Each structure stands twice: as structure tokens, then as C-alpha cells.
Amino acid sequence: MQSSVSFSSSGSSYSAIISGPRHCFPVAGGSLNLRFCGLRRQAFAFTSLNHHRRHPPHDLPSHRTHYNTVSAALSDNGTPPKSFDYDLLIIGAGVGGHGAALHAVEKGLKTAIVEGDVVGGTCVNRGCVPSKALLAVSGRMRELRNDHHLKSLGLQVSAAGYDRQGVADHANNLASKIRGNLTNSLKALGVDILTGFGTILGPQKVKVGSSNNVVTAKDIIIATGSVPFVPKGIEVDGKTVITSDHALKLETVPDWIAIVGSGYIGLEFSDVYTALGSEVTFIEALDQLMPGFDPEISKLAQRVLINPRNIDYHTGVFATKITPARDGKPVTIELIDAKTKEQKDTLEVDAALIATGRAPFTQGLGLENIDVATQRGFVPVDERMRVIDANGNLVPHLYCIGDANGKMMLAHAASAQGISVVEQVTGRDQVLNHLSIPAACFTHPEISMVGLTEPQAREKGEKEGFEVSVAKTSFKANTKALAENEGEGLAKLIYRPDNGEILGVHIFGLHAADLIHEASNAIALGTRIQDIKFAVHAHPTLSEVLDELFKSAKVSSLVKEPVAV
């Protein structure tokens, strides 16, 4: 399907991350501040896996500085080593691996980083970081070119223009800066950084690079991320038929670009390209645009983000063949009906962006050496991110986080999973509640969400026998939004009226990506509506959109409310 995948230290401590060419596009995140992001309430009352375990664990050598440089040979890969070079080895230096490494250092684990590409993965180098730089430009351009908006504020601005190379440099410089910050943070904490691609040879053994250098570790985390998914029949030349990796370089701004897939990747790039003057055509395999979003939010977002802009679209069609521009001919796109498979149309455009989601980057990891079979490329894991082999058994001391396991393909989800794994290997059980992890699309205005959509919640209610209610509030009733002349927006709460449980929150409007965290933290902590509606919000702020949303929910009178003191 060509619909986009959308939501498709101590001074003696060290940390290790191993990475090959790895990728993980989505959104921002990845620091120690995410330690409790998305954790269930019981995560705060940790359950000990070993009541006698301390940091370092008692079954590891106590003098970390006496580890051998190499403690395994290629000839005995099937035998677990008796001693280890590291406590924790992380294959992949993206946001997930970096977050896990920092937490490992804090927990006193000895670690090293083996990096086959660049620190930061796709999020920092070819994804969420440079894309936000481009979106910052598109936001400014929209403001400066919106004469009606400026006039309503009493402002007069002469014609706004842009320098393409300057915009591209801004994105590249930001990625370089963040990449340097991540690298320096790891080095400052004593993280060993080795160069090479990591291949699992056997239990607790990883080969680094093409040489016979083998590193052992008590626990290993796979965090290799994902790459852009390109369907069959599409020829990518990196110039006129491109993926998000190429688009972020902004080597050209085409007059007319087709975007295949209308998930968050496609939406964000449509925001950039139209702001810079391009005409955009969406090609979506499903019957509606933005299929991964709550339907009501999608409908409003289409009215604001697509209909008034220089965008047209084809839904319910597959792009079966895309040929790059060559010999003076434009890019050609052959479309067929997604259901009948009959030929529908042929488009000729200046460029095509393939935004059909992400595919896990798990080839060449040596998973066959530990009897692990991927499922559509994803590494199978349980709810604690423990890897499952081909026979359905857990692989001891091996975990997989982030895009490579496919549970939730977001950078900050990978970081939260990594931190959860580190908690486990240091003796504290944790299960990550993925329904509490927020997601955002950084268009203008923004879209954000956490938990279930309304159809998902109603399906769950029917199966489990509970009623589902919906509350809504408009940005047009918010003083701060009106002061900014940005009243176009909606916040939607999906909840259980019988007990006040928050099932999902969806926001479309000014700074929606920042506003969603009050809701995501409430879900993570198990906070009910009858509790959170008494929280106080500063006035006038956009946060009052959420305040009004929770206050408007109708929870059963049988549910006890907190007593004010």
C-alpha cells in the first residue's frame, strides 16, 4: 500500500552504541528528560527483578577498568562469553540509541559506541531535525506573504523572498550542530566511540567493522532504525524522483512536485514546498487524505492545509510506475485504481517525492546467527522489547528498540523504549505504555495526537463493553489564539464517561505539538478527567484550550471528585 506509514554518571561509566547506515525519520526527542515518557503509573513504583542487585549488577566484574579489549574469537561464536568487554552494547547511534546510552551511563553501566555512519541517525541528519529547519522557513514565509493576516495586525511588509541555498544551509547547519552536540555529550560521559558496522555473531557477541574485532557485552540493544520505503516500480534518481533523504537537501524547488503518500512526511513537505512557491499534487492509495489521523481532525486539516493552497490530489490510486526526468522529458507517473487495478491516469510533473513511509533497517545484522527471523523486516519483540527467536522463545540479553521493531516508528518512542530497557537490565521492571506516547505533524498550523482515534476508541468500547464520549473545544474561544489572529483550530478529547479515563486527545491548531504533552502525561500517569480538570492554567495562554477541553467533559456523577483543600 502506498499510503504513508503514520503513526507507516559516574566518572568510571561508559556507554556503547553500534551503528551501520541507519535511519529513523520521525519527530523530535531523545534525552534523559524522557525517562518517564509514556510509562504506566506502575513505572514509578518500580518492581525489582533482583532484590539483591545493585549498580553495577552483582554478577558483573566489579573492577570495570580491567575488561579485556577483545574477549571473544570468531571460532566460538555459539558460546556465551564468561566475561564481558561492556555491560551494554547498543547497535545504532540514533535518537533511540543515544537516549539509551545516556541512561546507561547514569545507571553505572560500562558501554562503548560503534558507529558505522554518523551519530544521530536519520532523525538528526536526514529527518526530524533538518525538516524542522525547513518548516521554520515555510512558517515565516507564510506569515510574511499573508497580507490579510498582517493587515489585521496593523502590519505592512514588502514582498518577501528567499535564497534557496541559504535555506538549505540553515537545515544542514542545524543538523551538524545537533550531531556535534550528541557526539560531544557521549564523549563527555566517557562513552567509547568505535567505528564500524555491528554484526551479531552469537550470544552476547558483536563483530565491529569488517575486521575480526569482536566485542562482548552482557546485554545488547538493537537500535538500527529505518530507511525510506520505496514501492516497486518507482525509480529513484535522487534528483527528480526523491525520498525525504534527498528532499531535505533542498537542491531544487520544482515548479510542480507530486508527493506519493499523505501521511505526516508528505504533509510536512507539502507545507514546505507550497510556501516556497511549488504546486503540489498528492497521490494517496486510500480513499481519503491523511488516513492515519483522527477522521474529524483530517477533515478540518484538509480544509485549512490543503484546499486553500496550491495543492490538488488523487485518492484511491496507486503509482505503479514513476520514471525520472531525462532527455528533456518530465517525470512520468502511471496511476491505477487501488481497488480495480485499472489504468486511471498518467501524470507529467517536474519532480516526485516518495513519502510512502519507512522500512526497518535490519539487513546484515547477523540475526540468523541467533535464530531470529524478521517479520516484514521488523525484529519481533515482546512488550519489554526483548527479542523473540524463530521458535517463539526470548533471546537472552538481547533487546530491540525504535523503528527496527515497528511498535511505534517515532524517534522519541525509540528513546523511551531504550530507557525502559536500561531500567530492566539494571533490575527494575518497566513496561512502556505506547498509547501515552504523543505524535505531531509540524505543518502550519500543527497537528498532534496521543492515544486512540475516535473510531479506534469506539471499536475498543464495543469489544470491552464501555461507553465512549467525545468533548471538543475551539481555538476561536481562546484569548491567546485570537490575539495572534490564529483562531483556526480544534481540540478533541475521547474518554470514558463512566470512570473518566482519557482514551485519546487530538489537536489541530497553533502550537498543537507543544500542547499535547499535558494529555500524554495524563495518560502516562493514569490521571483521570475528574482530577485534571482542577489543574490551574495561566491566563491568557494556549494551554487553556486543554483546560476548557477537560472541563467540558461529562463524567458520571458516581465517580468521586477530589476534595479541594
Side-chain angles (χ1 to χ4, degrees):
M1 180 182 293
Q2 286 179 331
S3 170
S4 292
V5 175
S6 55
F7 340 163
S8 114
S9 81
S10 62
S12 61
S13 300
Y14 302 87
S15 280
I17 301 178
I18 300 184
S19 175
R22 52 92 55 207
H23 307 264
C24 70
F25 188 90
V27 216
S31 73
L32 292 177
N33 293 330
L34 289 176
R35 187 172 310 134
F36 298 118
C37 176
L39 301 179
R40 299 183 189 273
R41 177 190 291 270
Q42 48 266 46
F44 292 92
F46 297 109
T47 302
S48 176
L49 295 177
N50 187 328
H51 295 291
H52 302 290
R53 205 167 190 181
R54 295 294 184 265
H55 309 299
H58 75 277
D59 52 347
L60 294 178
S62 58
H63 299 291
R64 303 179 187 280
T65 55
H66 298 305
Y67 280 74
N68 297 324
T69 302
V70 175
S71 66
L74 290 173
S75 59
D76 63 349
N77 293 330
T79 305
K82 296 180 180 180
S83 61
F84 303 98
D85 301 311
Y86 297 100
D87 298 340
L88 181 66
L89 195 64
I90 307 170
I91 306 177
V95 169
H98 180 266
L102 294 188
H103 198 55
V105 168
E106 182 180 320
K107 290 294 184 178
L109 300 184
K110 180 183 178 182
T111 330
I113 287 191
V114 184
E115 176 53 61
D117 189 20
V118 287
V119 171
T122 288
C123 179
V124 171
N125 299 286
R126 297 173 295 278
C128 46
V129 170
S131 69
K132 298 310 158 289
L134 296 183
L135 285 160
V137 173
S138 70
R140 298 297 190 278
M141 286 298 295
R142 292 192 186 283
E143 292 177 3
L144 294 173
R145 288 179 170 177
N146 191 335
D147 292 335
H148 176 75
H149 180 75
L150 292 173
K151 188 175 182 179
S152 68
L153 295 173
L155 299 176
Q156 296 180 353
V157 178
S158 58
Y162 68 91
D163 171 44
R164 182 200 58 79
Q165 188 58 54
V167 175
D169 289 344
H170 171 54
N172 182 64
N173 292 339
L174 178 62
S176 297
K177 182 177 182 179
I178 302 301
R179 180 171 62 247
N181 290 345
L182 295 184
T183 303
N184 292 336
S185 69
L186 292 168
K187 290 181 178 179
L189 291 173
V191 175
D192 288 348
I193 300 180
L194 310 176
T195 302
F197 185 83
T199 304
I200 298 172
L201 297 178
Q204 300 167 296
K205 300 176 185 177
V206 174
K207 183 177 74 169
V208 179
S210 57
S211 67
N212 290 342
N213 182 26
V214 178
V215 178
T216 63
K218 186 173 187 303
D219 293 289
I220 297 171
I221 297 177
I222 298 170
T224 47
S226 63
V227 296
F229 171 69
V230 179
K232 292 181 180 179
I234 297 177
E235 181 184 346
V236 174
D237 66 350
K239 298 295 183 182
T240 59
V241 180
I242 59 178
T243 68
S244 56
D245 286 0
H246 308 107
L248 290 165
K249 298 177 183 178
L250 202 71
E251 292 181 344
T252 61
V253 178
D255 292 334
W256 184 9
I257 183 168
I259 299 180
V260 184
S262 64
Y264 70 92
I265 298 175
L267 278 177
E268 289 186 350
F269 276 107
S270 75
D271 195 288
V272 171
Y273 281 121
T274 54
L276 299 182
S278 299
E279 180 181 349
V280 169
T281 296
F282 272 118
I283 298 171
E284 173 57 56
L286 297 183
D287 291 333
Q288 65 176 33
L289 296 175
M290 297 175 278
F293 299 88
D294 181 87
E296 189 171 8
I297 296 295
S298 294
K299 185 176 180 180
L300 175 59
Q302 180 173 334
R303 181 167 64 82
V304 176
L305 299 177
I306 293 177
N307 295 347
R309 298 180 180 178
N310 203 10
I311 299 175
D312 67 348
Y313 52 89
H314 299 264
T315 58
V317 295
F318 282 119
T320 56
K321 185 177 181 181
I322 300 182
T323 305
R326 59 171 65 101
D327 301 327
K329 297 180 180 180
V331 174
T332 58
I333 304 174
E334 297 181 14
L335 301 179
I336 64 169
D337 188 281
K339 296 177 181 177
T340 67
K341 304 301 185 288
E342 295 178 356
Q343 188 74 26
K344 286 253 336 194
D345 203 353
T346 298
L347 302 180
E348 293 184 346
V349 295
D350 298 312
L353 168 62
I354 313 306
T356 47
R358 311 283 302 176
F361 181 74
T362 53
Q363 293 184 345
L365 278 174
L367 296 174
E368 66 279 2
N369 297 327
I370 49 173
D371 196 28
V372 171
T374 60
Q375 300 172 356
R376 295 180 294 112
F378 295 105
V379 177
V381 297
D382 69 356
E383 63 179 0
R384 289 174 172 82
M385 309 304 131
R386 296 177 294 190
V387 174
I388 301 171
D389 68 16
N391 298 313
N393 301 315
L394 295 175
V395 180
H397 306 287
L398 183 63
Y399 303 81
C400 180
I401 66 173
D403 288 9
N405 70 32
K407 281 186 171 290
M408 197 171 198
M409 300 179 78
L410 297 169
H412 50 281
S415 182
Q417 290 173 359
I419 290 168
S420 179
V421 168
V422 170
E423 287 293 317
Q424 294 173 53
V425 302
T426 54
R428 295 179 176 181
D429 190 20
Q430 271 194 10
V431 176
L432 192 63
N433 178 11
H434 287 82
L435 287 176
S436 72
I437 299 178
C441 183
F442 294 86
T443 48
H444 297 90
E446 297 172 342
I447 310 171
S448 63
M449 65 227 70
V450 65
L452 303 175
T453 64
E454 184 177 346
Q456 290 170 340
R458 294 199 181 280
E459 181 181 357
K460 181 180 176 66
E462 289 180 6
K463 288 182 179 179
E464 299 182 13
F466 61 81
E467 184 182 347
V468 172
S469 292
V470 172
K472 306 171 192 175
T473 187
S474 172
F475 277 63
K476 292 178 180 177
N478 180 265
T479 303
K480 181 65 183 300
L482 294 177
E484 299 279 351
N485 206 8
E486 296 283 356
E488 195 72 74
L490 173 72
K492 179 177 181 179
L493 168 65
I494 305 158
Y495 66 100
R496 289 182 57 166
D498 61 334
N499 62 11
E501 180 185 357
I502 301 170
L503 301 175
V505 174
H506 303 263
I507 309 173
F508 174 67
L510 184 66
H511 297 304
D514 299 308
L515 295 175
I516 196 65
H517 296 94
E518 181 173 1
S520 65
N521 289 335
I523 295 175
L525 300 176
T527 306
R528 301 299 172 107
I529 293 170
Q530 58 269 26
D531 299 316
I532 199 171
K533 74 177 187 178
F534 287 98
V536 179
H537 298 70
H539 174 77
T541 64
L542 292 172
S543 69
E544 292 175 293
V545 170
L546 272 295
D547 185 30
E548 292 299 322
L549 183 65
F550 293 127
K551 282 181 168 59
S552 67
K554 306 299 182 184
V555 179
S556 171
S557 59
L558 298 178
V559 178
K560 287 186 177 182
E561 294 185 347
V563 179
V565 294

